[in-house]
Amino acid sequence: MPEVAVVDACQRDGAGGSPTAVLDDAPFTDEERCRIPGELGTSHAVFLRATGIERRRPAYTLRFFTAQDELPACGHGTVAALAVLAEREGSDHDYRGVLRTAHRSFDCRASRSGDGLTASFDPGPVSLRSAGGPELRAVAGSLGLTRDAVAGEACVASNGRPRLLLPVRSRAALAELTPDFTLLRAACDRHGLLGCYAYSPPDRHGRAAARMFSPSIGVPEDIANANSTACLAAHLAGSGTRRLAVDMGDHLGNPSTITATVHRGRAGHRIRVGGQAAIVRTVMR
């Protein structure tokens, strides 16, 4: 019977966050892996497998599952996994490691902050392109958005899978979105999109709000989405924004915040994304 940690990932001020199941991998079938989120009331489950030492740090392979399918990456799932790994190490020092997903390996770290931890990682390069008219109209229409509610240039961003980044004029307009999930899923499937990350323009301190809709992967609305926030950071870096704190989950009763910072290097922009996390319970499945 595996021990499963349920982690609230990307909390805001020590509360809320996205409940995520984290456990050591075993000879499960993919069908069994997909059952775990539903059994534990989480949107995602993360499976850990130790792979030795890489770059003189402990290395783990991560696999991410929703109730519907496996995902190649999951940002808040990565934050949750880091909270578990740091807790297992039990040191007062920062935890540093190497994580590997289906397509890449990357450095990560976690540090203690009160009763919880703050975790961050390198989400990898982000590709950006302008959103085409048909995909933009289809997705915006499924959200009930009129043209005057769109506050700037929408784009398609990918750090593994493409998703539409859609700016809306205000937090209030964001809160009023009423997606038709059947139409949204059809639009995303037709245009090859993971989902739609709708966001309000950040203020001068980099504070923004967002809602991520991804019914195509079995998550109609995500409480926290770190990879999409990393994509937004890459998109806004061109206009000079270097730090973001994006509030999510309020509409679902689970306030969450994801942070992202942009660093300029010789090879271009580098991003770190993360948030606060806490293990809230451990169960034997």
Side-chain angles (χ1 to χ4, degrees):
M1 298 288 289
E3 183 178 86
V4 186
V6 177
V7 181
D8 284 347
C10 301
Q11 293 182 316
R12 188 185 309 162
D13 299 325
S18 182
T20 307
V22 181
L23 66 159
D24 288 316
D25 208 353
F28 304 119
T29 66
D30 284 359
E31 182 180 358
E32 289 172 327
R33 292 184 176 95
C34 287
R35 282 205 297 264
I36 289 176
E39 290 175 358
L40 297 179
T42 66
S43 61
H44 297 69
V46 187
F47 296 83
L48 306 172
R49 181 169 60 86
T51 56
I53 301 297
E54 188 172 334
R55 300 196 284 276
R56 294 190 290 184
R57 294 175 180 173
Y60 290 83
T61 293
L62 306 184
R63 295 182 69 184
F64 308 96
F65 283 79
T66 67
Q68 181 171 305
D69 208 350
E70 182 173 9
L71 303 178
C74 174
H76 75 267
T78 302
V79 170
L82 282 169
V84 171
L85 293 173
E87 185 67 25
R88 286 181 181 178
E89 185 178 77
S91 170
D92 291 334
H93 301 293
D94 287 358
Y95 174 85
R96 292 180 179 267
V98 175
L99 300 180
R100 183 176 294 277
T101 60
H103 303 297
R104 56 185 293 265
S105 67
F106 50 92
D107 294 330
C108 59
R109 61 175 179 256
S111 58
R112 296 192 178 278
S113 52
D115 293 333
L117 296 112
T118 299
S120 66
F121 64 97
D122 169 8
V126 176
S127 63
L128 301 166
R129 67 168 175 83
S130 296
E135 61 192 342
L136 177 57
R137 286 192 296 271
V139 173
S142 71
L143 298 179
L145 268 175
T146 58
R147 180 175 292 274
D148 64 349
V150 178
E153 181 185 355
C155 75
V156 174
S158 176
N159 55 3
R161 295 180 67 179
R163 76 281 325 269
L164 182 71
L165 305 183
L166 183 62
V168 298
R169 65 175 180 265
S170 65
R171 282 180 176 249
L174 185 71
E176 292 169 359
L177 294 180
T178 54
D180 182 320
F181 289 114
T182 300
L183 289 179
L184 178 59
R185 177 168 186 166
C188 290
D189 290 350
R190 183 164 64 252
H191 295 286
L193 299 172
L194 171 71
C196 176
Y197 181 86
Y199 66 95
S200 66
D203 64 19
R204 62 188 182 90
H205 302 293
R207 197 87 190 196
R211 295 174 69 184
M212 176 64 179
F213 307 109
S214 46
S216 293
I217 61 169
V219 184
E221 182 169 354
D222 217 352
I223 293 171
N225 195 289
N227 279 336
S228 293
T229 303
C231 288
L232 179 62
H235 175 53
L236 296 179
S239 58
T241 300
R242 293 288 182 265
R243 293 181 179 273
L244 284 176
V246 178
D247 296 330
M248 300 185 71
D250 295 272
H251 187 74
L252 301 172
N254 288 70
S256 305
T257 299
I258 304 102
T259 59
T261 56
V262 180
H263 306 276
R264 182 175 296 166
R266 293 181 180 178
H269 292 129
R270 303 254 338 208
I271 299 167
R272 289 202 73 87
V273 66
Q276 298 177 355
I279 300 173
V280 292
R281 60 190 170 103
T282 302
V283 299
M284 299 300 293
R285 179 182 172 274

